[in-house]
Amino acid sequence: MKRLFCVSLLFTLYLACFAQGERKFDAEQFNARLQQFITTEAALSPQQSAKFFPLYNEMHKKQRVLFTELKRLKRIKPAGNKACQENIKRCDEIELQMKELQQTYHAKFMKVLPPEKVYDILKAEDRFHRQMFRNAKRK
């Protein structure tokens, strides 16, 4: 009986320690780190950052809406061939909308910043995401 109690106590303590080690995703902190990384890597001045990031955040807000719908559609498997066909078509439409949205905002970015800076920003964003995935993989 004592052994069972000790084993259950140790297991409970282990679970408590494990649960404390998990961190939840903080979107605000992620965005702040992303903006800082882009600003540094693309060498944006404060004036350029002030012009660029409102547009950038607006684009991501619209992309999130589309991505949420796409994720919902991909999570379920429709019953029947017709429903599957409609689901595939809708997913394709959403992916095209996302790409068109990105293209539209890239043009807006180039109206407020030189194309070379926009290129540097896009590369910095890609590097940041790759770095975050590598760090998450290590943990």
Side-chain angles (χ1 to χ4, degrees):
M1 192 63 146
K2 287 181 182 180
R3 282 186 181 174
L4 181 61
F5 178 75
C6 288
V7 169
S8 63
L9 179 65
L10 288 173
F11 183 72
T12 305
L13 289 173
Y14 172 76
L15 288 178
C17 291
F18 183 77
Q20 289 176 0
E22 290 184 29
R23 287 182 266 154
K24 294 191 179 198
F25 179 74
D26 184 0
E28 289 181 19
Q29 182 185 21
F30 180 84
N31 287 333
R33 290 175 65 191
L34 173 63
Q35 287 185 10
Q36 181 61 43
F37 188 86
I38 289 173
T39 301
T40 304
E41 291 291 310
L44 296 178
S45 69
Q47 295 81 14
Q48 290 172 327
S49 292
K51 291 178 187 176
F52 171 73
F53 282 112
L55 286 173
Y56 183 78
N57 293 333
E58 183 180 308
M59 178 185 75
H60 278 284
K61 186 176 179 182
K62 291 178 181 180
Q63 281 179 328
R64 264 190 300 264
V65 171
L66 293 171
F67 183 74
T68 301
E69 184 180 354
L70 183 65
K71 191 171 139 182
R72 182 187 59 78
L73 288 171
K74 287 185 174 185
R75 202 176 304 143
I76 57 171
K77 182 179 180 187
N81 288 334
K82 180 75 172 163
C84 285
Q85 183 179 11
E86 292 299 319
N87 188 301
I88 291 168
K89 284 183 180 181
R90 182 64 188 137
C91 287
D92 289 344
E93 289 171 4
I94 292 170
E95 288 176 356
L96 287 172
Q97 286 176 347
M98 288 175 72
K99 201 60 175 168
E100 289 170 355
L101 180 70
Q102 191 177 41
Q103 188 177 26
T104 301
Y105 273 89
H106 288 174
K108 288 181 181 184
F109 296 161
M110 288 188 283
K111 286 181 181 177
V112 297
L113 294 174
E116 188 176 341
K117 284 286 184 183
V118 174
Y119 182 83
D120 291 343
I121 288 167
L122 297 175
K123 288 295 185 182
E125 179 185 28
D126 186 50
R127 279 193 305 272
F128 179 80
H129 289 296
R130 287 179 189 275
Q131 188 178 70
M132 292 302 287
F133 280 122
R134 266 189 249 118
N135 290 345
K137 184 179 175 183
R138 288 181 192 143
K139 292 179 182 179

